[in-house]
Amino acid sequence: DVKVTQSSRYLVKRTGEKVFLECVQDMDHENMFWYRQDPGLGLRLIYFSYDVKMKEKGDIPEGYSVSREKKERFSLILESASTNQTSMYLCASSLLSGFGGHEQFFGPGTRLTVL
Amino acid sequence: GENVEQHPSTLSVQEGDSAVIKCTYSDSASNYFPWYKQELGKRPQLIIDIRSNVGEKKDQRIAVTLNKTAKHFSLHITETQPEDSAVYFCAANAGGTSYGKLTFGQGTILTVHP
């Protein structure tokens, strides 16, 4: 059974704190993604990775960084959390496709509140 | 980059009616168009997808159509049931890349009234 897990379902942090969100997949997928989900804005891509130690900026990378030291694990880092980063964060993984796209499998999400 | 527009943002139907959600995309090189369903409090899950080499795909009560010339694709749900109530997202891949990067639409909240 396909599984993507995230380290926390709910997280509350203070402005200026460094925040780590962890994602683990057990499907041996090459691709991993981090999205944030806000009402009316859909899913917006923050960063993605297609291989260990490889990363690419998505559409809204400002204020975030990522780390992928192992194939199964992809971390999202908020260097200095701000209130406008309060959101639902979703991790996903997929196979590396030679035909443009493959199903993305999502984690359960982390609802982050920055006070 | 790719831009995906999705309409309507909300859709309310009576049980048994059909529902149609439409999306347009900007990158003519896009070739993969999935649809995801997200029930309240749950993660998004793929319900159907279509690639650019076909114009239509059907899976029981769900169908997707693709018009590459007009750069739009649509989700059709027939004989809607209350359990179809959810948020639906369309997406298109970034053309010319094998990384599988997707750009999502803004989402449609579908409510099916019994």
Side-chain angles (χ1 to χ4, degrees), chain B residues 4-22:
Chain B
V4 177
E5 296 287 333
Q6 181 172 348
H7 299 280
S9 56
T10 61
L11 181 59
S12 183
V13 300
Q14 290 296 128
E15 184 176 0
D17 287 351
S18 295
V20 180
I21 303 171
K22 298 182 179 183

Side-chain angles (χ1 to χ4, degrees), chain B residues 12 25-26 53 56 60 62 64 67 69 72-73 81 95 99 105 107-108 113:
Chain B
S12 183
Y25 62 98
S26 60
N53 55 346
E56 184 173 356
Q60 299 183 335
I62 292 173
V64 58
N67 183 327
T69 302
H72 68 70
F73 56 113
Q81 301 167 2
Y99 301 147
T108 296
H113 299 281

Side-chain angles (χ1 to χ4, degrees), chain A residues 21-91:
Chain A
L21 303 182
E22 302 278 326
C23 175
V24 177
Q25 52 96 3
D26 66 357
M27 296 163 284
D28 201 34
H29 284 169
E30 294 85 2
N31 291 341
M32 294 189 76
F33 307 85
W34 274 108
Y35 296 92
R36 64 177 282 176
Q37 181 175 17
D38 300 289
L41 297 178
L43 302 171
R44 293 181 293 165
L45 182 65
I46 304 171
Y47 266 98
F48 68 102
S49 168
Y50 52 91
D51 200 354
V52 174
K53 297 192 185 295
M54 304 303 290
K55 60 186 179 183
E56 294 283 340
K57 292 181 180 179
D59 299 317
I60 52 165
E62 297 78 19
Y64 304 94
S65 62
V66 291
S67 173
R68 192 166 181 200
E69 297 296 319
K70 293 185 178 182
K71 189 176 184 179
E72 68 271 17
R73 189 178 299 269
F74 192 34
S75 302
L76 179 69
I77 303 155
L78 286 67
E79 297 290 344
S80 177
S82 63
T83 54
N84 62 12
Q85 292 179 309
T86 291
S87 186
M88 171 67 83
Y89 290 87
L90 288 163
C91 173

